[in-house]
Amino acid sequence: MAGPPAASPGELLRRLRQRHPADPVTHVERVPPRAGVPAPWPSWAPEELRAAYARRGVATPWRHQVEAAGLAHDRRHVVVATGTASGKSLAYQLPALATLLADPRATVLYLAPTKALAADQLRAVAALEIEGVRPACYDGDTPRAEREWIRRHSRFVLTNPDMLHHGILPGHAQWSGFLRRLAYVVVDECHVYRGVFGSHVAHVLRRLRRQCARYGRTAGPTFVLASATSGDPAAAAGRLTGLPVAAITEDTSPRAGVTFALWEPPLLPPEPSTSGPTPAPRQKPSAGMAKGDRRVTSGQPEPRAEPSADPAQANRQPTSGQPEPFPGVPSPSGEPAAGSDLTQVRRSALRETADLLADTVAAGVRTLAFVRSRRGAEVVATSARRSLDEAVPGLGDRVAAYRGGYLREERRELERALLHGDLLGLASTNALELGVDLIGLDAVVICGYPGTRASLWQQAGRAGRSGQEALAVLVARDDPLDTYLVHHPEAVFGAPVEATVLDPANAYVLGPQLACAAAEAPLTPADLELFGDGAKEAVEALVEAGALRQRPTGWYWRHRERPAVDLRGEGGAPVCVVEAATGRLLGTVDGGSSHFLLHAGAVYLHQGVSYVVDSLDLDDGCALVRPEEPDWSTHARDVTSLSVVSVRSYVDAGPVGFFLGEVDVTSQVVSYQRRRIATGEVIDTRPLDLPARELRTVAVWFTLSPESLVAAGVDPVDVPGALHAAEHAAIGLLPLVATCDRWDIGGLSTAVHPDTEAPTVFVYDGHPGGAGFAERAYGMAASWLRATRDAIAECGCETGCPSCVQSPKCGNGNNPLSKPDAIRVLDVVLTNLPE
């Protein structure tokens, strides 16, 4: 195990900054330590339970823990929304375990958003050694032989929404005894349940309440929810459960001080490219040429990879499977991509994060690096290991990658090695963002803004969990939002945490969930009230479609097979990645990502080992790969088209129109590029024959009259580039006002759209039926677009760069783009759009 770090966070940061001739740190925020406010144990807490906590080092609880536990003990639904490492687990364990001790027949159901967190909580509950509780995990990793024992004997079952949806509720008859005696439902890290995923989980919880009532639990179980600090947690928890929920938000736990640095990678020196393609000349495209950004159907941790296991986390992967490189952005090696404007290229955030991880590990500092994509985590870990081995042979073995798609044994071994200090550094997706008690970490490096302030503080809070001072570093990507934030620290440290956005009334969620409920037991009129607004209309639509049959006693599911409903709406079953020569299962990739990550010829990384995909069989859900170390990487390319279905609301602002409505988006992966790893040079582009995917969702869009653009100084030939650049920047800045991530949304811009007959910019939710992000953008239009305009104008580049108007997921290779004309376009919109 590693000893204490050799330097304080401030001294460590000073050393890291000295690596660069120009200081990369734009701001340092000192979060001061805080003393805790203890409270006496509640009188109803059994002495046996107090003694168990005392053995685990908990002599006295904190006040917020006692307040939340007291509400739950009084059978009031409660959410405790406090900071990382504030002891939220005791707030729900205390009333739950006290009830299990008082009532030998009572049961508790715990829902975690990741398998790692459920396993961590299982260890915590088992370590208390409370007789008769018999805690057990019941998820996709649970051996078949153990499942029957758990159903019959465990009184504290730890699972996740996926297993509740796919396994427990469909088999409710086998769980009837457990459900009849269910006293508490614990929903941990409930801020994760947002967007379409959160809307699905809201109905899964309503289905759970329905089955408990059917088996005699008429009062229903008490819900205790735990959340990171978020805006209006009581309202969000109420939407999630369908019940009135009280909120405990004052954090009275002690907190160590945190030194939080905002880090902007330096510009690379100009170095003319000697090979590779040159940028295409600006041309006047036909209408719709600027396809812009598209939705990406992938999740970070272990969701679709194992459907009955971990749900999708808040952030999504880029279309290429890695956020960098892309045209005009450095490759993971840190070198600039060929054909880019070298005066405007920054060092890769992946490379910068890898170097910081290597430097902190070399200094004996236990560090966790959060990387936004699975491939990015592999790249960072591999690069850090290489650097460490060059300095001290063998030291690279103390660094590893952690991501979704790994097999259960690999994940558990990595968690054990990190907890015991065998690993000094870990590059992880946000699979480790949530609740796992990573005691002893000294530093966290965050590669790219994670999409919300809630996630940012969750990730930063992974360090310092033993009470010691900690260092957190946010490394900005070459991205409009990241660049904006590192130069506007008040938007990070002075702004409130976002509210969780979910919409259980989403028809694309409500209908399938009612079908699932009907398959479990016939629906009755009383059930429709439980499922809320729109349930009656959704049932009528299911009857008309032939999915339900109406009888005097209710609505019955008509088919033998259960409804195939994916909680994340990511499209398609998981795809197994198999080594062709040996038949060894390497891991899995969610179906939505398979077109981008596992197409024939794709390079696939697994724990630093490189494989090339020989074939992808979507029908059988299998990709065959062979080990190979090519000197190139692969980047899938797609095309997108969009049509307007309906308009829900609009603002007529003279030459500007602002709209909210439904759209149909069609996208298809049509080719992939091979690029030299060392230089970013494009070797070739190869065609792919993959099926198109269709998405009906909600979008916000604005139109401008051609006359207003001419008056603003935008020549007609420059309109496509102006709109395209404004679209990219608007997508990049939307997470500033909505609880979303760049990868949750897509966009399209065109000089003349056939449905609007005008220059138009669309931004749409990347989820069937929408996820509430477009509605938020519509309501915050002026704030959103003003921040977008400022981010472009304040960027130091001349013609546009990834920090302002270039996009990592552009289907047109970031061409055409016009930075100055994008500012003029947004000026026209902001001048005419009312506040």
Side-chain angles (χ1 to χ4, degrees):
M1 292 183 64
S8 67
E11 174 62 20
L12 176 62
L13 179 61
R14 186 186 65 80
R15 295 180 187 178
L16 295 174
R17 297 166 79 167
Q18 288 177 338
R19 281 198 301 109
H20 296 280
D23 189 357
V25 174
T26 61
H27 179 80
V28 177
E29 186 81 8
R30 169 65 178 163
V31 182
R34 178 186 62 213
V37 181
W41 289 101
S43 59
W44 48 263
E47 181 57 39
E48 178 183 352
L49 189 54
R50 301 185 200 184
Y53 279 115
R55 291 193 299 269
R56 301 296 300 170
V58 181
T60 307
W62 306 114
R63 188 176 66 196
H64 70 275
Q65 295 173 322
V66 173
E67 291 175 351
L71 289 171
H73 183 261
D74 293 339
R75 299 300 180 184
R76 292 183 59 188
H77 311 292
V78 61
V79 56
V80 53
T82 53
T84 307
S86 59
K88 291 185 286 288
S89 58
L90 188 143
Y92 54 74
Q93 287 176 6
L94 186 58
L97 294 174
T99 298
L100 295 185
L101 284 171
D103 180 358
R105 293 176 55 81
T107 59
V108 172
L109 182 67
Y110 169 93
L111 299 175
T114 65
K115 286 192 237 179
L117 179 53
D120 184 74
Q121 283 297 303
L122 176 62
R123 287 190 292 266
V125 174
L128 293 173
E129 299 178 339
I130 305 297
E131 186 176 353
V133 171
R134 300 183 292 274
C137 274
Y138 189 90
D139 58 29
D141 290 340
T142 305
R144 294 283 176 182
E146 296 180 13
R147 297 189 179 191
E148 177 62 24
W149 184 93
I150 293 172
R151 285 193 294 265
R152 294 174 64 89
H153 300 292
S154 177
R155 300 175 62 213
F156 198 121
V157 173
L158 301 98
T159 186
N160 50 64
D162 298 80
M163 181 56 93
L164 182 59
H165 165 64
H166 287 290
I168 295 176
L169 290 175
H172 56 82
Q174 296 175 300
W175 289 87
S176 59
F178 184 91
L179 296 173
R180 184 180 299 114
R181 303 188 300 271
L182 186 58
Y184 287 99
V185 176
V186 176
V187 185
D188 206 356
E189 304 289 2
C190 66
H191 62 283
V192 171
Y193 305 123
R194 62 180 179 86
V196 168
F197 178 47
S199 302
H200 272 295
V201 173
H203 288 298
V204 172
L205 296 181
R206 285 158 175 78
R207 286 161 50 200
L208 172 64
R209 292 170 51 202
R210 177 175 179 249
Q211 290 302 331
C212 289
R214 288 185 68 245
Y215 286 110
R217 191 82 187 181
T218 53
T222 300
F223 282 80
V224 187
L225 303 97
S227 170
T229 303
S230 64
D232 202 357
R239 285 192 298 271
L240 186 64
T241 61
L243 297 163
V245 179
I248 300 296
T249 57
E250 183 184 2
D251 190 341
T252 58
S253 64
R255 181 185 64 196
V258 178
T259 300
F260 204 134
L262 303 183
W263 186 291
E264 185 175 41
L267 289 167
L268 291 169
E271 183 178 330
S273 175
T274 58
S275 63
T278 58
R282 188 174 67 193
Q283 55 183 310
K284 182 177 180 179
S286 61
M289 174 181 175
K291 297 299 184 186
D293 291 330
R294 70 171 299 282
R295 160 189 185 245
V296 182
T297 52
S298 165
Q300 288 278 20
E302 328 174 314
R304 303 263 327 165
E306 298 167 76
S308 59
D310 299 319
Q313 310 285 317
N315 301 324
R316 295 180 176 262
Q317 299 179 109
T319 56
S320 64
Q322 56 182 348
E324 299 159 323
F326 55 89
V329 178
S331 67
S333 66
E335 298 299 323
S340 60
D341 183 353
L342 295 177
T343 61
Q344 298 169 1
V345 173
R346 291 195 176 276
R347 196 165 188 262
S348 163
L350 287 176
R351 181 62 189 176
E352 198 79 352
T353 299
D355 285 353
L356 288 170
L357 179 60
D359 288 346
T360 54
V361 167
V365 175
R366 295 179 64 183
T367 306
L368 180 61
F370 283 106
V371 189
R372 295 166 57 85
S373 73
R374 295 180 177 187
R375 181 170 182 134
E378 295 278 5
V379 168
V380 166
T382 300
S383 181
R385 282 195 295 261
R386 185 182 299 118
S387 297
L388 288 166
D389 281 334
E390 289 175 356
V392 180
L395 188 57
D397 294 340
R398 307 291 297 277
V399 174
Y402 185 103
R403 61 171 177 81
Y406 285 173
L407 302 180
R408 176 192 184 187
E409 295 75 17
E410 289 179 290
R411 295 194 308 271
R412 297 295 175 264
E413 176 56 27
L414 289 169
E415 293 161 16
R416 185 208 63 78
L418 184 64
L419 287 168
H420 288 80
D422 299 332
L423 286 175
L424 274 179
L426 200 63
S428 172
T429 60
N430 59 359
L432 284 180
E433 174 183 319
L434 306 172
V436 179
D437 194 7
L438 303 178
I439 294 175
L441 294 183
D442 308 306
V444 164
V445 180
I446 303 168
C447 182
Y449 183 63
T452 65
R453 286 178 288 272
S455 289
L456 180 71
W457 288 108
Q458 279 288 103
Q459 293 182 5
R462 295 298 96 186
R465 290 173 66 89
S466 293
Q468 75 269 29
E469 293 279 323
L471 173 67
V473 180
L474 171 62
V475 179
R477 294 167 302 144
D478 239 350
D479 170 273
L481 181 56
D482 284 36
T483 303
Y484 180 87
L485 291 175
V486 295
H487 291 286
H488 293 80
E490 70 280 359
V492 177
F493 302 107
V497 177
E498 308 88 348
T500 303
V501 177
L502 67 149
D503 179 17
N506 183 336
Y508 286 81
V509 172
L510 181 54
Q513 285 293 331
L514 285 168
C516 291
E520 292 158 5
L523 289 168
T524 66
D527 292 330
L528 301 188
E529 183 178 348
L530 172 66
F531 287 96
D533 294 340
K536 185 176 185 297
E537 293 77 6
V539 165
E540 291 172 351
L542 290 169
V543 171
E544 184 177 348
L548 298 183
R549 175 183 287 115
Q550 186 172 7
R551 292 178 175 172
T553 53
W555 292 273
Y556 288 73
W557 178 245
R558 298 186 61 180
H559 305 289
R560 292 176 61 91
E561 302 82 11
R562 294 195 67 256
V565 177
D566 171 20
L567 295 190
R568 276 161 300 280
E570 290 174 346
V575 176
C576 297
V577 183
V578 177
E579 190 173 22
T582 64
R584 180 168 66 101
L585 177 65
L586 297 177
T588 56
V589 169
D590 62 88
S593 298
S594 60
H595 289 214
F596 299 95
L597 304 183
L598 295 177
H599 59 77
V603 176
Y604 175 81
L605 291 177
H606 184 88
Q607 277 295 359
V609 180
S610 177
Y611 299 84
V612 173
V613 179
D614 288 328
S615 64
L616 170 62
D617 190 326
L618 292 171
D619 293 331
D620 290 341
C622 180
L624 298 179
V625 302
R626 68 180 187 276
E628 186 177 335
E629 294 285 344
D631 63 351
W632 38 264
S633 59
T634 53
H635 307 265
R637 307 294 295 274
D638 69 335
V639 294
T640 303
S641 61
L642 180 151
S643 61
V644 176
V645 177
S646 65
V647 175
R648 294 183 183 177
S649 180
Y650 71 95
V651 175
D652 184 349
V656 173
F658 205 80
F659 301 82
L660 175 71
E662 291 187 331
V663 297
D664 280 334
V665 182
T666 301
S667 61
Q668 183 177 18
V669 175
V670 296
S671 63
Y672 71 97
Q673 288 183 341
R674 296 192 305 160
R675 301 181 195 163
R676 297 285 181 199
I677 292 176
T679 64
E681 171 195 353
V682 176
I683 301 172
D684 57 21
T685 299
R686 300 188 174 190
L688 291 170
D689 183 18
L690 290 167
R693 290 177 168 174
E694 295 185 355
L695 169 74
R696 177 161 291 186
T697 185
V698 179
V700 61
W701 67 93
F702 60 83
T703 61
L704 305 98
S705 70
E707 296 78 12
S708 68
L709 292 176
V710 171
V714 182
D715 292 336
V717 71
D718 295 324
V719 169
L723 299 176
H724 196 190
E727 171 218 330
H728 281 182
I731 288 173
L733 269 293
L734 183 55
L736 195 65
V737 299
T739 310
C740 67
D741 180 81
R742 181 170 193 148
W743 309 107
D744 289 323
I745 49 183
L748 181 143
S749 57
T750 176
V752 181
H753 192 274
D755 293 333
T756 65
E757 300 180 350
T760 311
V761 172
F762 294 90
V763 176
Y764 58 85
D765 290 357
H767 303 270
F773 308 138
E775 285 92 336
R776 180 70 172 169
Y778 185 78
M780 298 284 291
S783 299
W784 166 40
L785 295 179
R786 185 170 294 106
T788 301
R789 190 260 182 216
D790 292 346
I792 301 173
E794 292 172 6
C795 185
C797 70
E798 294 182 5
T799 60
C801 69
S803 295
C804 57
V805 298
Q806 290 187 5
S807 168
K809 51 178 184 160
C810 179
N812 274 33
N814 286 296
N815 184 58
L817 292 174
S818 175
K819 173 184 175 178
D821 288 324
I823 297 173
R824 296 185 182 102
V825 164
L826 292 168
D827 281 339
V828 172
V829 176
L830 290 167
T831 299
N832 291 278
L833 195 67
E835 287 291 337

